[in-house]
Amino acid sequence: MSILIDKETQVICQGITGKAGGFHTTMCREYGTQIVAGVTPGKSGQLFDKDIPVYDTVDFTMRNHHVDATMIFVPPLLAGDAIEEAAEAGIRLIVCITEGIPQKDMIKARATVMKYRATLIGPNCPGIISPGKSKIGIMPGYIHKPGEIGVISRSGTLTYEAVWQLTTLGLGQSTCVGMGGDPIHGVGFIDLLELFEKDDQTKGIVLIGEIGGSDEEKAAEWIGKNGTKPIVAFIAGKSAPPGRRMGHAGAIISGSSGTATDKINALKNAGVTIVDDPTEMGKTMLSVLSNKAVV
């Protein structure tokens, strides 16, 4: 199994005729993702890559195709509306790659997603991949390998680093989700931990967090009460001074909360194995699984 997507997932791209949307639609399709259509207002009737129909609206697309998921490559000032359009049309999984969306637009978009009970990954994220089955986003498919480790990350770059380490060590992945680091976002750690906990294929989880907010602390509380699978975690931003944003818009320490120390201590208390060096994520997971097998 995998979580959220598999080889049967049928996907559209909002912004398919743009440079980024077109390029990554092609990459996803080459990986094996079922791309059934695209959406760009004013481009209805065109074909992308010779056989993918383009429509003006998501609603009209849904009348002509079965659609499970969408990936959004729409400019920041229009991306919030694109998320809402997808949710209102009935798409269950929305993956928004766009970064720089105004927070007021995301507040409105997130409320719409919740109203229609859709699942939003992102924005400002690399997306999701179930290795060997499907990918929706910008992840380099070749570094992934089908297997039993789930990966959840707020950092795109560190997602790739963790995956490459796991693959090099022979540890494949069930599903990898780059959830993004914006302060107003869709799925969080707990949502994904719950899915991985229920997934029979997933035997261990790599969790990558960073300073800012309280998502990691809330995840630690959930893990302490509900987690049964081994988790290895890395928290980025140990050296960040309070009040200074580091990388993501959500990676900022405010007052006395959101520090790396807070998050590390909370996760340790929940039984999570912490790595201080990001180059040790794969080796640590291999060690944890080996020790678990011996026991």
Side-chain angles (χ1 to χ4, degrees):
M1 294 175 64
S2 54
I3 67 167
L4 295 174
I5 64 172
D6 57 31
K7 62 182 179 179
E8 305 301 328
T9 303
Q10 298 190 50
V11 183
I12 66 171
C13 176
Q14 291 169 259
I16 194 169
T17 58
K19 183 177 180 180
F23 175 80
H24 287 291
T25 293
T26 300
M27 294 297 100
C28 289
R29 193 182 199 195
E30 289 180 357
Y31 189 77
T33 306
Q34 293 196 40
I35 306 290
V36 298
V39 176
T40 300
K43 303 290 186 179
S44 181
Q46 294 188 11
L47 292 176
F48 176 83
D49 200 18
K50 298 181 180 181
D51 63 347
I52 299 176
V54 180
Y55 299 93
D56 285 337
T57 67
V58 176
D59 183 65
F60 196 73
T61 305
M62 297 285 281
R63 297 180 197 179
N64 290 275
H65 302 271
H66 172 78
V67 180
D68 300 303
T70 180
M71 58 179 177
I72 297 177
F73 288 93
V74 172
L77 295 182
L78 301 174
D81 288 341
I83 293 171
E84 291 190 73
E85 182 185 6
E88 290 169 351
I91 295 182
R92 308 318 305 160
L93 177 62
I94 302 167
V95 182
C96 184
I97 310 301
T98 306
E99 63 176 305
I101 303 175
Q103 290 193 27
K104 63 181 180 63
D105 293 352
M106 273 310 303
I107 291 171
K108 187 168 177 285
R110 190 172 187 276
T112 301
V113 167
M114 294 176 67
K115 175 182 177 181
Y116 288 93
R117 298 183 179 180
T119 297
L120 170 65
I121 298 175
N124 188 15
C125 74
I128 176 172
I129 182 169
S130 289
K133 299 175 183 177
S134 180
K135 79 162 184 165
I136 304 175
I138 63 175
M139 304 78 67
Y142 74 92
I143 68 172
H144 297 80
K145 173 184 177 180
E148 300 178 335
I149 306 300
V151 179
I152 311 170
S153 177
R154 285 175 67 182
S155 166
T157 304
L158 287 174
T159 305
Y160 309 150
E161 175 65 28
V163 167
W164 180 243
Q165 290 178 31
L166 292 168
T167 296
T168 300
L169 292 168
L171 294 175
Q173 306 89 46
S174 54
T175 302
C176 306
V177 185
M179 51 188 251
D182 281 6
I184 302 169
H185 56 83
V187 292
F189 287 119
I190 293 176
D191 304 303
L192 298 168
L193 286 167
E194 288 177 340
L195 292 173
F196 279 129
E197 184 69 28
K198 296 174 183 176
D199 179 39
D200 292 338
Q201 179 182 341
T202 302
K203 305 303 182 185
I205 301 167
V206 172
L207 184 153
I208 302 170
E210 58 187 22
I211 59 169
S214 58
D215 284 1
E216 291 82 357
E217 290 89 338
K218 292 175 182 176
E221 184 177 354
W222 185 91
I223 292 166
K225 294 178 180 178
N226 305 285
T228 64
K229 298 181 179 182
I231 300 174
V232 170
F234 173 74
I235 303 298
K238 274 188 177 182
S239 61
R244 179 173 297 176
R245 195 181 82 187
M246 304 294 285
H248 290 144
I252 182 169
I253 301 170
S254 300
S256 60
S257 64
T259 67
T261 300
D262 292 334
K263 297 173 186 299
I264 289 169
N265 288 339
L267 289 165
K268 278 184 177 179
N269 290 337
V272 173
T273 302
I274 301 294
V275 294
D276 295 321
D277 183 344
T279 66
E280 298 294 319
M281 291 184 285
K283 292 179 181 178
T284 304
M285 175 54 76
L286 181 62
S287 175
V288 168
L289 291 177
S290 298
N291 290 336
K292 186 173 184 291
V294 171
V295 174

